[in-house]
Amino acid sequence: MPRTPNLNAMPYFESVVRRGSISRAAEELSVSPSAVSQQIKLLEQQLGVKLFRRTGRVLTLTLEGELLAQTVGTALRMITDAQANLGRTRTARRLNLRVSPSFGVRWLGPRLSDFVAQYPDWDLRVDAAPDPTDFDREVMDLDVRYGTGNWKGLHTQPLVHDYVLPLASPDYLAGLPADDPLSTARLIDSARAITQWDYWLWHNNITTVANRKTILMDRSSMAIQLALDGAGVVLESLALASAELAEGRLVPVTPDIPVLRFPAYWALCPARFTKRRPVRLFLDWAEKQAATHETEVAALISKHGLCTTDITPETQTLHPPNQ
C-alpha cells in the first residue's frame, strides 16, 4: 500500500512551482531557502522521483513534477475555497435547513416565501434529503424529519401532525361500489409512510380480498399524484394532501371512519443548537405556520363531516422510514 505523501511539503512544492525559484518561495512562505530545499528533498525521497531539474540556478519541472504540480495546485485551491465557504457559512446571517423530501416539496415549500418576507436579510439553504443530518460532520442548523420522534442524543420537538385517511379522485371513487368502495379499489401505499394500508385496515377491522390490487410508491408525492391521475385510493396525510382535498381534486373514500391523527414531523438538532438565533427564528415561524395548518385541516375535516382519533406512531407495526 502506498505511503501517505508528506502533506506538509505540498505548499512548499506548490510555491516553488508557482514562483519559479526556491528563494522566491522562501520569501513568500516566510521561511529560509534551506527549509524549502529540505522539504522538496524529503518529498522527492518519499515519492522516489525527481521533481525538478536543476541547471545552475534555474529549476524546471520533470515529467513527474508536472503531474504532481497539476494535482497539488488544484487540491490547494479547492481547500482554500472550501475554507472560505465554511467561514462564510458559519458567520453570515444564514439558516442551513434539511427536510424530508415530500414534506419539503408539499408542506414547507409553499410557505417559505413568508419566511423570506419576514427575514429578508437572511440567506436560506434548504436541503431536501431522505437521510437525517449527521450534525457532527455536516454544516446544518436544523433538520425537520418524518418519524416517531425517537432520535437519541438530539433535541426533538413535534412540529406537524399527520391526519391520515383514504383519498381518491372523484371520478375514481364514482366507479367504486358505494356500499364497500375498498372491496374493488386498487390501494396505493407510500413505502416510506408510517401508516400503511395493512395497519389502517387492521386498526379499523376491515377485511379485504386476499389478492387485493396494490401499488407501492417510493414517495408520498408520487403516491398522491397517482391518486390524482385516477389510478387508485391512496392512504395519505393531510399534512401533504390538504390542498388537493380543499380543491376537491381528492375526496374522502371512507367518511364514516375516523381520520388517524398523530405527531409525524419533528424538528431536531443538538440541544446546544437551540440557542442559535436562526434556529430560534425558524422554529418560532414554523410553529405559527403549523398552528395555522392545524386550523385549516380542522376546517376541512369538519367540512367533509369527518372526525379524528388520536394514536401514537409507536402503536403502528411498520418502522417509520423518512418520508
Side-chain angles (χ1 to χ4, degrees), residues 1-23:
M1 179 180 297
R3 293 174 58 190
T4 302
N6 180 11
L7 298 180
N8 291 332
M10 295 303 177
Y12 290 84
F13 171 73
E14 189 273 341
S15 183
V16 172
V17 171
R18 185 164 38 80
R19 298 303 301 273
S21 77
I22 286 177
S23 60

Side-chain angles (χ1 to χ4, degrees), residues 165-187:
L165 73 163
L167 298 166
S169 69
D171 289 343
Y172 186 82
L173 181 59
L176 299 176
D179 59 337
D180 190 7
L182 296 181
S183 62
T184 61
R186 184 181 294 275
L187 306 184

Side-chain angles (χ1 to χ4, degrees), residues 15 19 21-33 36:
S15 183
R19 298 303 301 273
S21 77
I22 286 177
S23 60
R24 286 195 289 267
E27 180 181 355
E28 179 180 78
L29 297 170
S30 299
V31 297
S32 66
V36 177

Side-chain angles (χ1 to χ4, degrees), residues 145-298:
R145 196 57 36 191
Y146 178 75
T148 62
N150 184 24
W151 287 276
K152 294 182 179 179
L154 294 175
H155 167 81
T156 61
Q157 66 183 73
L159 197 60
V160 179
H161 282 74
D162 257 354
Y163 288 81
V164 176
L165 73 163
L167 298 166
S169 69
D171 289 343
Y172 186 82
L173 181 59
L176 299 176
D179 59 337
D180 190 7
L182 296 181
S183 62
T184 61
R186 184 181 294 275
L187 306 184
I188 304 172
D189 251 331
S190 172
R192 298 174 181 269
I194 294 173
T195 307
Q196 297 192 345
W197 275 110
D198 284 341
Y199 172 81
W200 188 91
L201 294 168
W202 171 84
H203 180 81
N204 292 293
N205 297 313
I206 297 175
T207 302
T208 62
V209 294
N211 61 341
R212 67 174 186 259
K213 301 180 291 297
T214 62
I215 303 176
L216 183 63
M217 304 301 290
D218 184 56
R219 291 280 188 272
S220 278
S221 54
M222 299 168 67
I224 292 169
Q225 186 60 53
L226 205 57
L228 288 169
D229 293 339
V233 177
V234 67
L235 185 65
E236 197 45 78
S237 166
L238 295 184
L240 305 181
S242 59
E244 288 75 11
L245 181 61
E247 295 163 3
R249 293 189 292 149
L250 291 177
V251 295
V253 175
T254 55
D256 55 325
I257 296 178
V259 178
L260 301 183
R261 178 183 183 273
F262 56 92
Y265 293 93
W266 304 73
L268 56 120
C269 64
R272 66 184 185 277
F273 284 19
T274 59
K275 297 179 180 180
R276 293 182 177 180
R277 187 162 180 256
V279 172
R280 295 198 309 270
L281 289 177
F282 180 82
L283 286 178
D284 288 345
W285 172 84
E287 287 174 349
K288 293 174 183 176
Q289 293 291 323
T292 300
H293 170 74
E294 287 278 319
T295 301
E296 293 170 349
V297 169

Side-chain angles (χ1 to χ4, degrees), residues 98-108 126-132 143-147 151 219 240 264-266 321-323:
R98 176 168 290 173
V99 297
S100 298
S102 291
F103 179 83
V105 171
R106 302 190 68 88
W107 194 92
L108 182 62
V126 181
D127 178 17
D131 298 320
D143 199 335
V144 179
R145 196 57 36 191
Y146 178 75
W151 287 276
R219 291 280 188 272
L240 305 181
Y265 293 93
W266 304 73
N322 299 302
Q323 182 159 309

